[in-house]
Amino acid sequence: MRTLLSAAASVVLVGGVLLLASRDVARPAHPSPAGDAAAPVLVELFTSEGCSDCPPADRLLAQLDERQPVPGAKIIALEQHVDYWDDLGWRDPFSSAQFSRRQQDYVGAFHINGPYTPQMVVDGSAEFVGSDVRAAVAAITKSSRVPKASLIIEAGPAPAGAPSIPLRVRLESQAGGSAAANSDVILAVTEDDLSSNVTNGENSGSKLVHRAVVRDMRVLGRVAGDGSFTAQTDEKLSKNWKRENLHAVAFVQQRGSRHILGAAAIPLASPR
């Protein structure tokens, strides 16, 4: 765990939007300047409710996801709760050993000493303390300028109350597509508006609110030699998930470098 930046150093103006890593998230008065043509940028946060340095990073990720303040970037957020804090006073209800293992993969890819919280990773190519606003904006801006693979995710019809949602993920073969050949296509389901009243540990007495919490993550398959990929799957919905707050996220990740080559996300709310 690294020391957080001071509150004064955690303030930055981006695209006319003031980001405050140390304050609660407020809904913006105007929509994001990033439109449909914006480049998808996957922003992962490794966090824990047992870590007192993590709530400011959680709020920053929520702001990035909700406000979309970086011009030219479509930020796709994944908040992953690690489990190595769970024996230190508070068991995080959203934690999973799977996310701890995923973070450990980044430890090797970035050649750093070990995992820490909060850690933010942008497109698998940059990592830094998760509450560092300036580092986040700089990394997202840089990554938005990198060409992305064209990944499409679609949801089939599923009425309210259905136990699962059919999903289709497709990556088109394209010039230079062989760069994605040694890559996996990964599917994640996230949920917004989750919260906990923490009664023990470093955040005892706090109500913690989360956005884009990863509920499920799995590899759909490997990209073909020509850079193409197609998969259909049914996403089973847990009874304690609120469908109106769910999103499906698909992304292409190189196995060696861990770089993200493309990403896409859709809401899973029931059709009206």
Side-chain angles (χ1 to χ4, degrees):
M1 181 173 58
R2 298 181 185 175
T3 304
L4 291 178
L5 301 180
S6 69
S10 299
V11 179
V12 66
L13 186 68
V14 183
V17 177
L18 187 66
L19 293 182
L20 303 171
S22 59
R23 294 186 183 178
D24 291 338
V25 176
R27 185 174 296 276
H30 301 286
S32 162
D36 293 339
V41 177
L42 193 74
V43 179
E44 301 179 69
L45 178 67
F46 294 95
T47 184
S48 171
E49 289 190 341
C51 162
S52 62
D53 286 348
C54 287
D58 298 345
R59 291 192 289 269
L60 174 58
L61 184 75
Q63 289 180 343
L64 293 170
D65 181 47
E66 188 174 17
R67 295 183 175 191
Q68 295 292 324
V70 181
K74 169 55 182 174
I75 297 167
I76 299 175
L78 296 177
E79 183 174 293
Q80 298 165 70
H81 291 235
V82 298
D83 70 341
Y84 50 80
W85 277 90
D86 284 359
D87 295 329
L88 300 176
W90 174 254
R91 188 188 182 284
D92 188 331
F94 311 115
S95 67
S96 171
Q98 178 186 9
F99 306 139
S100 298
R101 291 192 297 269
R102 180 168 175 81
Q103 187 184 30
Q104 191 63 48
D105 288 340
Y106 280 128
V107 169
F110 289 117
H111 306 289
I112 57 180
N113 291 333
Y116 65 91
T117 55
Q119 182 188 32
M120 192 169 283
V121 177
V122 174
D123 265 350
S125 59
E127 71 86 21
F128 44 88
V129 176
S131 55
D132 189 334
V133 183
R134 287 186 173 85
V137 171
I140 293 166
T141 300
K142 181 179 179 180
S143 193
S144 70
R145 296 167 180 165
V146 176
K148 307 289 183 179
S150 180
L151 187 66
I152 299 170
I153 181 170
E154 300 169 313
S164 64
I165 299 176
L167 297 172
R168 184 170 186 262
V169 179
R170 178 166 48 92
L171 177 65
E172 296 286 356
S173 177
Q174 52 196 317
S178 59
N182 191 33
S183 301
D184 293 316
V185 176
I186 300 173
L187 175 68
V189 173
T190 68
E191 185 172 1
D192 295 336
D193 298 331
L194 293 172
S195 63
S196 292
N197 291 307
V198 181
T199 59
N200 210 344
E202 292 189 1
N203 290 312
S204 181
S206 299
K207 180 178 180 179
L208 303 181
V209 180
H210 306 288
R211 186 177 176 91
V213 175
V214 178
R215 289 300 213 168
D216 183 40
M217 182 183 288
R218 53 196 167 96
V219 176
L220 291 180
R222 192 167 183 174
V223 177
D226 65 354
S228 66
F229 178 88
T230 301
Q232 291 182 288
T233 185
D234 286 329
E235 180 62 38
K236 186 177 180 180
L237 304 179
S238 177
K239 291 182 179 180
N240 64 331
W241 299 354
K242 293 183 178 179
R243 183 169 169 179
E244 63 270 22
N245 295 332
L246 298 179
H247 288 77
V249 176
F251 56 97
V252 184
Q253 185 162 39
Q254 286 184 326
R255 290 189 170 189
S257 69
R258 310 302 297 166
H259 290 175
I260 305 298
L261 304 181
I266 57 171
L268 294 180
S270 299
R272 295 182 179 180

